[in-house]
Amino acid sequence: TVMFQQKAHIAWNQAIAPAIFKIGLTCRHGFARTKPGQFVMLRISEGLEPLLRRPFSVHKLIRKDNRIDGIEVLYKMVGKGTGLLATRKPGETLDVLGPLGSSFVLPPSARKVFIVAGGIGVAPMVFLAQHLVESGLSPSNCEVFLGGRTCEELLCTDDFAALDLPVHTTTDDGSAGDQCLVTHPVDIALVDRRPDVVFACGPLQMLDCVTGIAAAHGVICQVSIETAMACGMGACLGCAVPSRDTPGRYYHACLDGPVFDAGSIWLSGGPDSDRDSLSTGVQPLG
């Protein structure tokens, strides 16, 4: 996919839940061939604060008159950068670099898919689900598992329901869905209705657990991770992820990822097991 840097106009920037926002960006070119799992780097301010761009998964493509008119980003307000982004108004412009990175890939023989998302990790999964259905996958063969700490963190359930996808929800506090970790119903369903592939995005511990469950059942698993990316193009080497295949080798989340085959990287427990800095979802820098 060809990468573009351009000024995008803000079409909307709305709170949809506490500290959760959707921002629509109209871009003249470059996103028609964007694939699910890819991301953009946004320069949030024209000034020096914050200095670095922030990475955000593409949440949806904006369509107008049978063409791709831009992208939508789902983000959580967690720090200075996303706090500033939440104040940006429709009509203003943002500098956008993208699309960047790798994407989720449906194996040619796959007919049944599980999508697993925790919290803001749902951001790239709506685009993925739309793409799978548009590609001809039967909605009944694409099950979605959404988890959050509370009901307010269960995001985008309506988007999946609009695609007629079966959705299983869990919350830590029992305020919606089943009171358990999202990995629990995934584990049960993998035995009961074995999928051909599992796609996952969310907190590191969740991804590690999903990866283990899929591996135990011999099911292909692809995970979307995003470390603290500063450049998005492999220049700063700040988003290194340890390889499971080759000891001492590191992948770079911005170039080799953010989507990886789960068996190719160490999420935890590897040679550098104290990797609390490895975060996932859409915008780890705040």
Side-chain angles (χ1 to χ4, degrees):
T1 304
V2 179
M3 172 187 67
F4 293 90
Q5 181 178 353
Q6 60 192 301
K7 294 288 187 181
H9 285 86
I10 299 173
W12 60 82
N13 193 13
Q14 303 166 333
I16 62 164
I20 305 292
F21 292 77
K22 282 184 179 181
I23 185 168
L25 302 170
T26 55
C27 313
R28 290 185 178 178
H29 52 255
F31 288 94
R33 296 182 180 178
T34 308
K35 298 173 183 176
Q38 290 190 299
F39 67 98
V40 295
M41 299 290 288
L42 300 184
R43 181 174 293 284
I44 294 169
S45 169
E46 296 296 327
L48 295 178
E49 282 286 323
L51 177 63
L52 301 176
R53 292 176 182 266
R54 297 292 193 264
F56 297 90
S57 299
V58 175
H59 178 56
K60 289 180 183 177
L61 297 180
I62 300 173
R63 291 178 168 85
K64 183 180 180 183
D65 300 327
N66 293 319
R67 64 183 174 88
I68 304 302
D69 196 45
I71 59 171
E72 185 174 63
V73 163
L74 178 73
Y75 67 96
K76 184 175 183 178
M77 191 167 66
V78 295
K80 183 181 291 185
T82 44
L84 185 59
L85 183 60
T87 68
R88 301 300 302 271
K89 302 288 192 292
E92 296 178 354
T93 60
L94 284 179
D95 192 275
V96 179
L97 183 67
L100 297 162
S102 62
S103 63
F104 291 105
V105 177
L106 183 69
S109 60
R111 295 292 178 268
K112 188 169 183 61
V113 171
F114 282 4
I115 291 176
V116 187
I120 198 69
V122 74
M125 306 316 243
V126 171
F127 182 17
L128 172 62
Q130 291 173 336
H131 177 77
L132 292 174
V133 172
E134 289 170 4
S135 299
L137 188 71
S138 169
S140 61
N141 283 332
C142 184
E143 292 188 53
V144 180
F145 300 82
L146 299 178
R149 286 182 292 184
T150 69
C151 59
E152 293 175 340
E153 290 190 10
L154 280 178
L155 306 171
C156 306
T157 53
D158 291 347
D159 292 299
F160 295 112
L163 294 168
D164 291 326
L165 304 185
V167 179
H168 312 273
T169 58
T170 67
T171 51
D172 294 353
D173 67 354
S175 54
D178 295 326
Q179 186 172 7
C180 59
L181 298 176
V182 69
T183 48
H184 181 62
V186 172
D187 196 8
I188 294 172
L190 265 166
V191 176
D192 191 38
R193 304 179 299 282
R194 178 190 171 94
D196 299 305
V197 60
V198 175
F199 298 121
C201 185
L204 179 59
Q205 290 177 321
M206 185 210 89
L207 289 186
D208 197 31
C209 187
V210 170
T211 296
I213 293 169
H217 295 284
V219 175
I220 296 170
C221 182
Q222 296 174 26
V223 297
S224 174
I225 70 167
E226 285 179 0
T227 65
M229 299 179 194
C231 73
M233 296 180 289
C236 72
L237 308 183
C239 60
V241 182
S243 164
R244 188 184 288 264
D245 314 321
T246 311
R249 182 188 175 190
Y250 285 80
Y251 293 111
H252 295 102
C254 64
L255 287 182
D256 303 306
V259 179
F260 290 92
D261 177 89
S264 69
I265 59 172
W266 287 107
L267 290 167
S268 67
D272 299 324
S273 58
D274 185 20
R275 289 183 57 79
D276 292 339
S277 63
L278 181 62
S279 54
T280 63
V282 285
Q283 74 290 321
L285 287 177

